[in-house]
Amino acid sequence: MTRQPIEQHALHAAMQESQHALCVDDDASAMLARPDAQRDGPLAAEVWVFDAELSHILMVDHRWRGWVPPGGKVEPGETQRMAALREVFEETGVQVDLLERPAAVTVRSYRSGWSATLGISFMAVADRRTPLMPEEGQAVAWLPLDEPWQGWFARDRRRMRQCAAWISEHANGPRTLKQSAGPVTEDAQPLRVSISEVSCGTTSKRSPTTP
């Protein structure tokens, strides 16, 4: 990813989102709190799109990362929510409404040798019967949450299952399943985890290759 300064409005939005995510990597809060955070970049956004039964998740088969959620870099003028909606439509052809509460905030490298990127994973629920329109050369599929898959961040499957359970528990709430640009007011605290604590232990990373 090309490094570019993070715009102030996008940085402010990312800080707000991080306060309400269900899972927060230890390094994410520290990265946002740094005085020079506005000089770092880019930001990344992805969407964990669950089916209505909360048994499958929509994934794209990246050419060298393997199975990953639809997502990508936040472009100039966008917030991470705006980028997430754009990316999921561009990569899958599915239009979604993002849940108010993000799934996870992470600091990770998306390729060997790349600098760490601050990313936010959003959640959405869609009908698995919706026609899929993948980008050329990048397959799209609904993968079962109870089976491992090969991908760059396959260990996220544990978090995805936890978030699916959270959606199931809160599905009847009046504000949970609608899109909103306002703050989340729930009292629940985020699950703060370190990278080492989130591992399925049943999958292997696909070795990076030259794109």
Side-chain angles (χ1 to χ4, degrees):
M1 286 187 182
T2 302
R3 309 294 287 184
Q4 63 183 33
I6 299 176
E7 297 174 337
Q8 283 297 320
H9 74 98
L11 179 64
H12 178 70
M15 294 177 69
Q16 286 188 319
E17 299 284 7
S18 70
Q19 295 173 10
H20 304 295
L22 292 176
C23 303
V24 180
D25 283 344
D26 291 342
D27 292 340
S29 297
M31 182 176 183
L32 281 169
R34 289 206 321 260
D36 63 344
Q38 68 273 17
R39 294 197 297 272
D40 292 336
L43 294 174
E46 65 182 20
V47 187
W48 296 358
V49 184
F50 299 97
D51 67 342
E53 290 76 27
L54 301 175
S55 62
H56 289 69
I57 190 165
L58 187 61
M59 304 284 277
V60 299
D61 191 10
H62 190 272
R63 60 186 182 276
W64 49 267
R65 291 182 196 145
W67 289 106
V68 294
K73 183 175 67 173
V74 178
E75 300 293 347
E78 291 183 324
T79 64
Q80 284 171 298
R81 282 186 178 265
M82 295 165 62
L85 291 169
R86 174 181 54 77
E87 289 284 353
V88 72
F89 180 72
E90 289 178 352
E91 296 186 356
T92 72
V94 178
Q95 292 182 309
V96 299
D97 289 334
L98 302 179
L99 274 64
E100 288 183 290
R101 193 159 194 183
V105 181
T106 59
V107 174
R108 56 178 35 159
S109 176
Y110 287 85
R111 186 172 182 176
S112 298
W114 284 10
S115 300
T117 296
L118 178 69
I120 295 184
S121 304
F122 296 96
M123 297 184 288
V125 178
D127 190 334
R128 199 166 4 136
R129 297 170 297 181
T130 303
L132 302 178
M133 294 182 289
E135 291 183 315
E136 184 176 357
Q138 185 168 269
V140 179
W142 289 97
L143 301 185
L145 286 170
D146 60 356
E147 296 179 12
W149 59 74
Q150 187 181 53
W152 201 252
F153 302 115
R155 61 190 174 190
D156 278 349
R157 187 168 60 93
R158 176 183 172 187
R159 285 177 171 168
M160 293 169 178
R161 293 199 308 267
Q162 291 173 334
C163 288
W166 182 87
I167 294 172
S168 179
E169 292 174 3
H170 294 78
N172 293 324
R175 290 169 53 81
T176 304
L177 296 179
K178 72 174 183 178
Q179 182 182 1
S180 172
V184 177
T185 58
E186 297 179 47
D187 294 331
Q189 295 298 312
L191 172 65
R192 297 189 179 275
V193 296
S194 64
I195 291 294
S196 60
E197 291 174 343
V198 183
S199 176
C200 292
T202 57
T203 59
S204 59
K205 293 194 299 184
R206 178 177 294 181
S207 299
T209 58
T210 302

